[in-house]
Amino acid sequence: MPKTNPSTSDPVIIAAVADYFKVLSEGSRLQILTCLKSGSMNVMEIGEATGLGQANLSKHLKVLTQAGILSRQPKGTSAYYEIADPIIFELCELACDRISQRVLQQAENLKAFHNKNTGF
């Protein structure tokens, strides 16, 4: 029987983890994170890189900052955003690798099915 970490069975922790994944479930937010992987950027730079409009971008930046994933540093008349918790990239990479493997397996299964039914 696998050991259970007491904190992972705490309903408060489970709710917080669910909220964290909700933050990451939005494609635009993942786009923003990808842009910031190379370093801090201001809102205008992030907007140019992602193609997101000002209002939409501001909303997503606020959500990511409130979740503790980004930090905001005012510099002069601009605010620069950067990754506050670099572990986010390991988490995203793990998910992307797993999904890629699944898609490749599905493609192989579909090809085998097609070949079986067409004789090729």
Side-chain angles (χ1 to χ4, degrees), residues 32-76:
I32 292 167
L33 294 177
T34 301
C35 289
L36 294 173
K37 192 171 186 176
S38 60
S40 67
M41 298 172 88
N42 67 27
V43 176
M44 189 164 54
E45 293 168 331
I46 298 169
E48 288 173 4
T50 61
L52 296 171
Q54 177 70 36
N56 196 16
L57 178 57
S58 293
K59 176 186 77 169
H60 292 305
L61 289 170
K62 181 179 180 181
V63 170
L64 288 164
T65 303
Q66 287 176 337
I69 297 170
L70 297 183
S71 64
R72 182 182 182 275
Q73 305 297 325
K75 290 182 186 172

Side-chain angles (χ1 to χ4, degrees), residues 1-9:
M1 187 175 226
K3 283 186 177 180
T4 303
N5 182 340
S7 65
T8 59
S9 61

Side-chain angles (χ1 to χ4, degrees), residues 12-106:
V12 174
I13 300 295
I14 291 171
V17 170
D19 288 342
Y20 190 79
F21 280 108
K22 283 179 195 172
V23 169
L24 297 176
S25 70
E26 169 61 49
S28 296
R29 294 183 197 134
L30 295 175
Q31 250 186 306
I32 292 167
L33 294 177
T34 301
C35 289
L36 294 173
K37 192 171 186 176
S38 60
S40 67
M41 298 172 88
N42 67 27
V43 176
M44 189 164 54
E45 293 168 331
I46 298 169
E48 288 173 4
T50 61
L52 296 171
Q54 177 70 36
N56 196 16
L57 178 57
S58 293
K59 176 186 77 169
H60 292 305
L61 289 170
K62 181 179 180 181
V63 170
L64 288 164
T65 303
Q66 287 176 337
I69 297 170
L70 297 183
S71 64
R72 182 182 182 275
Q73 305 297 325
K75 290 182 186 172
T77 58
S78 293
Y80 281 79
Y81 290 86
E82 62 187 15
I83 302 298
D85 187 3
I87 196 88
I88 192 71
F89 294 117
E90 290 180 46
L91 180 63
C92 289
E93 205 170 295
L94 181 65
C96 287
D97 288 348
R98 188 71 189 121
I99 291 166
S100 293
Q101 289 174 5
R102 189 177 321 142
V103 168
L104 289 172
Q105 185 60 52
Q106 288 172 343

